[in-house]
Amino acid sequence: MTSPTITVLHVIGSGGFGGGERYLLDLIRFSSPACRHAAAVPYAGPLSRNMDSTGYNYRIIRMPLQPSLSGLMSLWRFSREVKADIIHSHGFRANLYGRLTALLSRKPHVSTVHVSLYDYRETSPAIRRLYQLIEKWSSRFTR
């Protein structure tokens, strides 16, 4: 008897290769065989090259810091295409897009915080406060 397959759509706000991106690759690599994974990456870069070399399913979906309806709709269409059961976002920008996609698709959402908004030292206090308000507002869509 085989266990049911769950498809997790990961949404990440960076295409670089720091701690969050390494975590995502390890999570995909070492997760249960009962899980299938797809990822939305905001731009081509080190993360997409790593995903290419490992054969992981991903799509580049632009997710600007200023909320973008076209980015949200692209992510929602991708979630339908891969038949996502769960949306898992990684980081502030990804949380907003992932949570709204989960809300639109009526799927559960999980969030992993890799860097606290309080650690955004290069960001002005006013912008950091705006990010915190957006995070607080959108967190209600996480189940």
Short mmCIF file of all heavy atoms in Angstrom, two decimals, residues 35-90:
data_model
loop_
_atom_site.label_atom_id
_atom_site.label_comp_id
_atom_site.label_asym_id
_atom_site.label_seq_id
_atom_site.Cartn_x
_atom_site.Cartn_y
_atom_site.Cartn_z
N CYS A 35 5.85 13.25 -0.26
CA CYS A 35 5.70 14.65 -0.66
C CYS A 35 6.31 14.89 -2.03
O CYS A 35 7.40 14.40 -2.32
CB CYS A 35 6.40 15.57 0.35
SG CYS A 35 5.61 15.63 1.95
N ARG A 36 5.59 15.64 -2.83
CA ARG A 36 6.14 16.19 -4.07
C ARG A 36 6.32 17.67 -3.82
O ARG A 36 5.56 18.28 -3.08
CB ARG A 36 5.19 15.98 -5.25
CG ARG A 36 5.14 14.54 -5.74
CD ARG A 36 4.26 14.44 -6.94
NE ARG A 36 2.96 15.04 -6.58
CZ ARG A 36 1.91 15.05 -7.37
NH1 ARG A 36 1.98 14.56 -8.56
NH2 ARG A 36 0.78 15.59 -6.96
N HIS A 37 7.30 18.24 -4.48
CA HIS A 37 7.61 19.64 -4.25
C HIS A 37 7.69 20.40 -5.57
O HIS A 37 8.16 19.88 -6.57
CB HIS A 37 8.95 19.80 -3.52
CG HIS A 37 8.98 19.13 -2.20
ND1 HIS A 37 8.59 19.76 -1.04
CD2 HIS A 37 9.35 17.87 -1.84
CE1 HIS A 37 8.72 18.93 -0.03
NE2 HIS A 37 9.17 17.78 -0.49
N ALA A 38 7.26 21.64 -5.51
CA ALA A 38 7.46 22.60 -6.58
C ALA A 38 7.83 23.90 -5.90
O ALA A 38 7.51 24.11 -4.73
CB ALA A 38 6.19 22.77 -7.41
N ALA A 39 8.52 24.78 -6.61
CA ALA A 39 8.95 26.03 -5.99
C ALA A 39 8.75 27.19 -6.95
O ALA A 39 8.93 27.05 -8.15
CB ALA A 39 10.42 25.94 -5.57
N ALA A 40 8.38 28.32 -6.37
CA ALA A 40 8.33 29.59 -7.09
C ALA A 40 9.51 30.42 -6.62
O ALA A 40 9.65 30.68 -5.42
CB ALA A 40 7.01 30.30 -6.80
N VAL A 41 10.35 30.81 -7.55
CA VAL A 41 11.58 31.55 -7.29
C VAL A 41 11.46 32.89 -8.01
O VAL A 41 11.03 32.93 -9.16
CB VAL A 41 12.80 30.74 -7.83
CG1 VAL A 41 14.10 31.49 -7.63
CG2 VAL A 41 12.85 29.36 -7.20
N PRO A 42 11.83 34.02 -7.37
CA PRO A 42 11.53 35.33 -7.97
C PRO A 42 12.44 35.76 -9.13
O PRO A 42 12.09 36.65 -9.88
CB PRO A 42 11.67 36.29 -6.80
CG PRO A 42 12.63 35.63 -5.89
CD PRO A 42 12.38 34.16 -6.03
N TYR A 43 13.60 35.13 -9.28
CA TYR A 43 14.49 35.49 -10.38
C TYR A 43 15.51 34.39 -10.60
O TYR A 43 15.76 33.56 -9.71
CB TYR A 43 15.19 36.84 -10.13
CG TYR A 43 15.98 36.91 -8.83
CD1 TYR A 43 17.30 36.46 -8.76
CD2 TYR A 43 15.41 37.43 -7.69
CE1 TYR A 43 18.01 36.52 -7.58
CE2 TYR A 43 16.12 37.51 -6.50
CZ TYR A 43 17.42 37.05 -6.45
OH TYR A 43 18.12 37.11 -5.29
N ALA A 44 16.06 34.34 -11.80
CA ALA A 44 17.11 33.37 -12.10
C ALA A 44 18.37 33.77 -11.35
O ALA A 44 18.71 34.94 -11.25
CB ALA A 44 17.39 33.34 -13.61
N GLY A 45 19.03 32.78 -10.78
CA GLY A 45 20.24 33.04 -10.00
C GLY A 45 20.78 31.73 -9.44
O GLY A 45 20.47 30.65 -9.94
N PRO A 46 21.56 31.81 -8.38
CA PRO A 46 22.15 30.61 -7.81
C PRO A 46 21.13 29.54 -7.40
O PRO A 46 21.36 28.35 -7.59
CB PRO A 46 22.93 31.12 -6.59
CG PRO A 46 23.22 32.55 -6.91
CD PRO A 46 22.06 33.03 -7.72
N LEU A 47 19.99 29.97 -6.84
CA LEU A 47 18.99 28.97 -6.42
C LEU A 47 18.42 28.24 -7.63
O LEU A 47 18.34 27.01 -7.62
CB LEU A 47 17.87 29.63 -5.62
CG LEU A 47 16.74 28.69 -5.17
CD1 LEU A 47 17.28 27.55 -4.31
CD2 LEU A 47 15.67 29.47 -4.42
N SER A 48 18.06 28.96 -8.67
CA SER A 48 17.50 28.28 -9.85
C SER A 48 18.54 27.38 -10.51
O SER A 48 18.20 26.30 -10.99
CB SER A 48 16.93 29.30 -10.85
OG SER A 48 17.93 30.16 -11.35
N ARG A 49 19.81 27.79 -10.51
CA ARG A 49 20.85 26.92 -11.06
C ARG A 49 20.98 25.63 -10.26
O ARG A 49 21.14 24.55 -10.81
CB ARG A 49 22.19 27.66 -11.14
CG ARG A 49 22.20 28.71 -12.25
CD ARG A 49 23.60 29.25 -12.52
NE ARG A 49 24.16 30.01 -11.42
CZ ARG A 49 23.90 31.29 -11.18
NH1 ARG A 49 23.09 31.96 -11.96
NH2 ARG A 49 24.48 31.91 -10.16
N ASN A 50 20.89 25.74 -8.92
CA ASN A 50 20.91 24.54 -8.09
C ASN A 50 19.70 23.66 -8.36
O ASN A 50 19.80 22.44 -8.38
CB ASN A 50 20.97 24.91 -6.61
CG ASN A 50 22.37 25.07 -6.12
OD1 ASN A 50 23.03 24.10 -5.80
ND2 ASN A 50 22.86 26.30 -6.08
N MET A 51 18.54 24.28 -8.54
CA MET A 51 17.33 23.50 -8.83
C MET A 51 17.45 22.83 -10.19
O MET A 51 17.01 21.69 -10.36
CB MET A 51 16.10 24.38 -8.74
CG MET A 51 15.84 24.86 -7.32
SD MET A 51 14.14 25.31 -7.10
CE MET A 51 13.83 24.66 -5.50
N ASP A 52 18.03 23.52 -11.17
CA ASP A 52 18.25 22.90 -12.49
C ASP A 52 19.13 21.67 -12.36
O ASP A 52 18.84 20.61 -12.93
CB ASP A 52 18.94 23.89 -13.45
CG ASP A 52 17.98 24.91 -14.03
OD1 ASP A 52 16.77 24.64 -14.09
OD2 ASP A 52 18.46 26.00 -14.42
N SER A 53 20.23 21.79 -11.61
CA SER A 53 21.20 20.69 -11.51
C SER A 53 20.63 19.49 -10.76
O SER A 53 21.10 18.37 -10.96
CB SER A 53 22.49 21.17 -10.85
OG SER A 53 22.30 21.44 -9.48
N THR A 54 19.64 19.71 -9.90
CA THR A 54 19.06 18.59 -9.15
C THR A 54 17.76 18.10 -9.77
O THR A 54 17.22 17.09 -9.34
CB THR A 54 18.79 19.01 -7.69
OG1 THR A 54 17.98 20.18 -7.69
CG2 THR A 54 20.07 19.27 -6.93
N GLY A 55 17.26 18.82 -10.77
CA GLY A 55 16.03 18.39 -11.44
C GLY A 55 14.75 18.74 -10.70
O GLY A 55 13.69 18.20 -11.00
N TYR A 56 14.82 19.65 -9.73
CA TYR A 56 13.63 20.03 -8.98
C TYR A 56 12.71 20.90 -9.84
O TYR A 56 13.15 21.68 -10.68
CB TYR A 56 14.00 20.79 -7.70
CG TYR A 56 14.76 19.97 -6.69
CD1 TYR A 56 15.69 20.56 -5.87
CD2 TYR A 56 14.55 18.60 -6.56
CE1 TYR A 56 16.40 19.82 -4.92
CE2 TYR A 56 15.25 17.86 -5.63
CZ TYR A 56 16.17 18.47 -4.82
OH TYR A 56 16.87 17.73 -3.90
N ASN A 57 11.42 20.75 -9.60
CA ASN A 57 10.40 21.49 -10.33
C ASN A 57 10.28 22.90 -9.75
O ASN A 57 9.98 23.06 -8.57
CB ASN A 57 9.05 20.76 -10.21
CG ASN A 57 7.95 21.43 -10.97
OD1 ASN A 57 8.17 22.28 -11.83
ND2 ASN A 57 6.72 21.04 -10.67
N TYR A 58 10.52 23.90 -10.58
CA TYR A 58 10.37 25.27 -10.13
C TYR A 58 9.95 26.14 -11.30
O TYR A 58 10.05 25.75 -12.46
CB TYR A 58 11.67 25.80 -9.51
CG TYR A 58 12.73 26.17 -10.53
CD1 TYR A 58 12.86 27.48 -10.97
CD2 TYR A 58 13.57 25.21 -11.07
CE1 TYR A 58 13.81 27.82 -11.92
CE2 TYR A 58 14.52 25.53 -12.01
CZ TYR A 58 14.64 26.83 -12.43
OH TYR A 58 15.57 27.15 -13.37
N ARG A 59 9.50 27.32 -10.97
CA ARG A 59 9.16 28.32 -11.97
C ARG A 59 9.62 29.67 -11.44
O ARG A 59 9.48 29.95 -10.25
CB ARG A 59 7.67 28.34 -12.22
CG ARG A 59 7.23 29.49 -13.08
CD ARG A 59 6.34 29.23 -14.25
NE ARG A 59 6.15 27.91 -14.70
CZ ARG A 59 4.95 27.34 -14.85
NH1 ARG A 59 3.84 27.98 -14.51
NH2 ARG A 59 4.85 26.13 -15.32
N ILE A 60 10.14 30.48 -12.35
CA ILE A 60 10.49 31.84 -11.97
C ILE A 60 9.23 32.68 -12.07
O ILE A 60 8.59 32.74 -13.13
CB ILE A 60 11.61 32.41 -12.87
CG1 ILE A 60 12.89 31.62 -12.60
CG2 ILE A 60 11.80 33.90 -12.62
CD1 ILE A 60 14.05 31.95 -13.48
N ILE A 61 8.85 33.26 -10.94
CA ILE A 61 7.67 34.11 -10.86
C ILE A 61 8.09 35.40 -10.18
O ILE A 61 8.52 35.38 -9.02
CB ILE A 61 6.52 33.42 -10.10
CG1 ILE A 61 6.09 32.18 -10.87
CG2 ILE A 61 5.37 34.40 -9.86
CD1 ILE A 61 4.99 31.38 -10.22
N ARG A 62 7.98 36.49 -10.89
CA ARG A 62 8.37 37.79 -10.35
C ARG A 62 7.46 38.16 -9.19
O ARG A 62 6.24 38.12 -9.31
CB ARG A 62 8.27 38.87 -11.43
CG ARG A 62 9.04 38.54 -12.68
CD ARG A 62 10.48 39.00 -12.60
NE ARG A 62 11.19 38.61 -13.82
CZ ARG A 62 12.25 37.84 -13.83
NH1 ARG A 62 12.74 37.38 -12.71
NH2 ARG A 62 12.86 37.53 -14.94
N MET A 63 8.07 38.51 -8.07
CA MET A 63 7.33 38.91 -6.88
C MET A 63 7.95 40.19 -6.33
O MET A 63 8.73 40.16 -5.39
CB MET A 63 7.37 37.79 -5.82
CG MET A 63 6.65 36.54 -6.21
SD MET A 63 6.83 35.21 -4.99
CE MET A 63 8.26 34.34 -5.64
N PRO A 64 7.61 41.34 -6.93
CA PRO A 64 8.22 42.59 -6.45
C PRO A 64 7.80 42.91 -5.02
O PRO A 64 6.77 42.42 -4.55
CB PRO A 64 7.70 43.65 -7.42
CG PRO A 64 6.69 43.00 -8.27
CD PRO A 64 6.69 41.53 -8.02
N LEU A 65 8.61 43.73 -4.35
CA LEU A 65 8.27 44.14 -2.98
C LEU A 65 6.95 44.89 -2.93
O LEU A 65 6.16 44.72 -2.01
CB LEU A 65 9.38 45.01 -2.39
CG LEU A 65 10.53 44.26 -1.75
CD1 LEU A 65 11.61 45.22 -1.30
CD2 LEU A 65 10.06 43.41 -0.59
N GLN A 66 6.69 45.73 -3.95
CA GLN A 66 5.38 46.37 -4.02
C GLN A 66 4.43 45.31 -4.52
O GLN A 66 4.65 44.73 -5.59
CB GLN A 66 5.38 47.55 -5.00
CG GLN A 66 6.40 48.63 -4.72
CD GLN A 66 7.81 48.24 -5.14
OE1 GLN A 66 8.03 47.37 -5.95
NE2 GLN A 66 8.79 48.89 -4.53
N PRO A 67 3.37 45.00 -3.78
CA PRO A 67 2.47 43.92 -4.19
C PRO A 67 2.05 44.05 -5.65
O PRO A 67 1.70 45.12 -6.13
CB PRO A 67 1.28 44.08 -3.24
CG PRO A 67 1.87 44.72 -2.03
CD PRO A 67 2.94 45.65 -2.55
N SER A 68 2.14 42.93 -6.34
CA SER A 68 1.87 42.89 -7.77
C SER A 68 0.74 41.89 -8.05
O SER A 68 0.86 40.71 -7.73
CB SER A 68 3.14 42.46 -8.51
OG SER A 68 2.85 41.96 -9.78
N LEU A 69 -0.32 42.37 -8.66
CA LEU A 69 -1.44 41.50 -9.01
C LEU A 69 -0.99 40.46 -10.04
O LEU A 69 -1.36 39.29 -9.95
CB LEU A 69 -2.62 42.31 -9.54
CG LEU A 69 -3.89 41.53 -9.83
CD1 LEU A 69 -4.37 40.79 -8.59
CD2 LEU A 69 -4.97 42.46 -10.35
N SER A 70 -0.15 40.87 -11.00
CA SER A 70 0.30 39.90 -12.00
C SER A 70 1.17 38.82 -11.36
O SER A 70 1.08 37.64 -11.72
CB SER A 70 1.02 40.59 -13.16
OG SER A 70 2.25 41.13 -12.74
N GLY A 71 2.03 39.20 -10.40
CA GLY A 71 2.83 38.20 -9.68
C GLY A 71 1.96 37.24 -8.90
O GLY A 71 2.16 36.03 -8.91
N LEU A 72 0.95 37.79 -8.22
CA LEU A 72 0.03 36.96 -7.45
C LEU A 72 -0.73 36.00 -8.36
O LEU A 72 -0.85 34.81 -8.05
CB LEU A 72 -0.95 37.85 -6.68
CG LEU A 72 -2.05 37.13 -5.90
CD1 LEU A 72 -1.46 36.20 -4.83
CD2 LEU A 72 -2.99 38.15 -5.27
N MET A 73 -1.22 36.50 -9.49
CA MET A 73 -2.00 35.64 -10.39
C MET A 73 -1.10 34.57 -11.02
O MET A 73 -1.54 33.43 -11.21
CB MET A 73 -2.71 36.47 -11.45
CG MET A 73 -3.77 37.41 -10.87
SD MET A 73 -4.86 36.64 -9.63
CE MET A 73 -5.72 35.44 -10.60
N SER A 74 0.14 34.90 -11.34
CA SER A 74 1.07 33.90 -11.87
C SER A 74 1.32 32.80 -10.85
O SER A 74 1.35 31.61 -11.18
CB SER A 74 2.40 34.55 -12.26
OG SER A 74 2.23 35.43 -13.33
N LEU A 75 1.49 33.20 -9.60
CA LEU A 75 1.71 32.22 -8.54
C LEU A 75 0.47 31.36 -8.33
O LEU A 75 0.57 30.14 -8.18
CB LEU A 75 2.09 32.94 -7.24
CG LEU A 75 2.48 32.05 -6.06
CD1 LEU A 75 3.65 31.14 -6.41
CD2 LEU A 75 2.81 32.92 -4.86
N TRP A 76 -0.69 31.96 -8.37
CA TRP A 76 -1.94 31.21 -8.21
C TRP A 76 -2.10 30.20 -9.35
O TRP A 76 -2.45 29.04 -9.11
CB TRP A 76 -3.13 32.18 -8.17
CG TRP A 76 -4.45 31.50 -8.10
CD1 TRP A 76 -5.01 30.88 -7.01
CD2 TRP A 76 -5.39 31.36 -9.16
NE1 TRP A 76 -6.24 30.37 -7.34
CE2 TRP A 76 -6.50 30.66 -8.66
CE3 TRP A 76 -5.40 31.77 -10.48
CZ2 TRP A 76 -7.61 30.35 -9.44
CZ3 TRP A 76 -6.50 31.47 -11.26
CH2 TRP A 76 -7.59 30.76 -10.74
N ARG A 77 -1.82 30.62 -10.59
CA ARG A 77 -1.92 29.68 -11.73
C ARG A 77 -0.93 28.54 -11.58
O ARG A 77 -1.26 27.38 -11.86
CB ARG A 77 -1.70 30.43 -13.05
CG ARG A 77 -2.91 31.23 -13.49
CD ARG A 77 -2.77 31.76 -14.91
NE ARG A 77 -1.72 32.73 -15.06
CZ ARG A 77 -1.85 34.04 -14.82
NH1 ARG A 77 -3.01 34.52 -14.43
NH2 ARG A 77 -0.83 34.84 -14.98
N PHE A 78 0.29 28.85 -11.13
CA PHE A 78 1.30 27.80 -10.93
C PHE A 78 0.84 26.83 -9.85
O PHE A 78 1.00 25.62 -9.99
CB PHE A 78 2.64 28.42 -10.59
CG PHE A 78 3.78 27.44 -10.49
CD1 PHE A 78 3.99 26.47 -11.46
CD2 PHE A 78 4.66 27.50 -9.42
CE1 PHE A 78 5.05 25.57 -11.37
CE2 PHE A 78 5.72 26.61 -9.32
CZ PHE A 78 5.92 25.64 -10.29
N SER A 79 0.23 27.34 -8.79
CA SER A 79 -0.26 26.46 -7.71
C SER A 79 -1.34 25.51 -8.25
O SER A 79 -1.39 24.35 -7.86
CB SER A 79 -0.79 27.26 -6.52
OG SER A 79 -2.04 27.83 -6.78
N ARG A 80 -2.17 25.99 -9.14
CA ARG A 80 -3.19 25.13 -9.75
C ARG A 80 -2.56 24.11 -10.70
O ARG A 80 -2.97 22.96 -10.74
CB ARG A 80 -4.23 25.97 -10.48
CG ARG A 80 -5.12 26.76 -9.52
CD ARG A 80 -6.09 27.68 -10.25
NE ARG A 80 -6.85 27.02 -11.28
CZ ARG A 80 -8.07 26.52 -11.13
NH1 ARG A 80 -8.67 26.63 -9.97
NH2 ARG A 80 -8.69 25.94 -12.14
N GLU A 81 -1.57 24.56 -11.44
CA GLU A 81 -0.88 23.68 -12.39
C GLU A 81 -0.22 22.50 -11.69
O GLU A 81 -0.31 21.36 -12.16
CB GLU A 81 0.16 24.49 -13.16
CG GLU A 81 0.94 23.71 -14.18
CD GLU A 81 2.01 24.59 -14.82
OE1 GLU A 81 1.70 25.75 -15.18
OE2 GLU A 81 3.15 24.10 -14.96
N VAL A 82 0.44 22.76 -10.57
CA VAL A 82 1.13 21.67 -9.86
C VAL A 82 0.20 20.93 -8.90
O VAL A 82 0.60 19.98 -8.26
CB VAL A 82 2.38 22.17 -9.11
CG1 VAL A 82 3.39 22.75 -10.08
CG2 VAL A 82 2.05 23.14 -7.98
N LYS A 83 -1.06 21.41 -8.80
CA LYS A 83 -2.05 20.81 -7.90
C LYS A 83 -1.56 20.82 -6.45
O LYS A 83 -1.56 19.81 -5.75
CB LYS A 83 -2.42 19.41 -8.35
CG LYS A 83 -3.08 19.37 -9.72
CD LYS A 83 -3.40 17.95 -10.12
CE LYS A 83 -4.19 17.88 -11.40
NZ LYS A 83 -3.52 18.25 -12.60
N ALA A 84 -1.13 22.02 -6.01
CA ALA A 84 -0.59 22.18 -4.66
C ALA A 84 -1.65 21.87 -3.61
O ALA A 84 -2.78 22.33 -3.71
CB ALA A 84 -0.06 23.59 -4.48
N ASP A 85 -1.26 21.10 -2.61
CA ASP A 85 -2.11 20.82 -1.46
C ASP A 85 -1.81 21.79 -0.32
O ASP A 85 -2.68 22.07 0.50
CB ASP A 85 -1.89 19.38 -0.97
CG ASP A 85 -2.28 18.37 -2.01
OD1 ASP A 85 -3.45 18.38 -2.44
OD2 ASP A 85 -1.40 17.57 -2.41
N ILE A 86 -0.58 22.25 -0.26
CA ILE A 86 -0.11 23.15 0.79
C ILE A 86 0.78 24.20 0.14
O ILE A 86 1.59 23.88 -0.75
CB ILE A 86 0.72 22.38 1.86
CG1 ILE A 86 -0.14 21.33 2.56
CG2 ILE A 86 1.33 23.34 2.87
CD1 ILE A 86 0.65 20.39 3.44
N ILE A 87 0.65 25.44 0.61
CA ILE A 87 1.56 26.51 0.19
C ILE A 87 2.49 26.78 1.36
O ILE A 87 2.04 27.04 2.47
CB ILE A 87 0.79 27.81 -0.16
CG1 ILE A 87 -0.41 27.56 -1.07
CG2 ILE A 87 1.76 28.85 -0.72
CD1 ILE A 87 -0.10 27.10 -2.46
N HIS A 88 3.80 26.69 1.12
CA HIS A 88 4.80 26.91 2.17
C HIS A 88 5.67 28.09 1.73
O HIS A 88 6.39 27.99 0.75
CB HIS A 88 5.65 25.66 2.34
CG HIS A 88 6.65 25.76 3.45
ND1 HIS A 88 7.46 24.70 3.79
CD2 HIS A 88 7.01 26.77 4.28
CE1 HIS A 88 8.26 25.06 4.79
NE2 HIS A 88 8.01 26.32 5.09
N SER A 89 5.60 29.18 2.47
CA SER A 89 6.39 30.35 2.10
C SER A 89 7.60 30.51 3.01
O SER A 89 7.59 30.10 4.16
CB SER A 89 5.54 31.62 2.09
OG SER A 89 4.99 31.87 3.35
N HIS A 90 8.63 31.11 2.42
CA HIS A 90 9.91 31.28 3.10
C HIS A 90 10.32 32.75 3.00
O HIS A 90 10.87 33.17 1.99
CB HIS A 90 10.98 30.41 2.43
CG HIS A 90 10.64 28.96 2.38
ND1 HIS A 90 11.09 28.06 3.33
CD2 HIS A 90 9.87 28.24 1.52
CE1 HIS A 90 10.63 26.85 3.03
NE2 HIS A 90 9.89 26.94 1.94
#
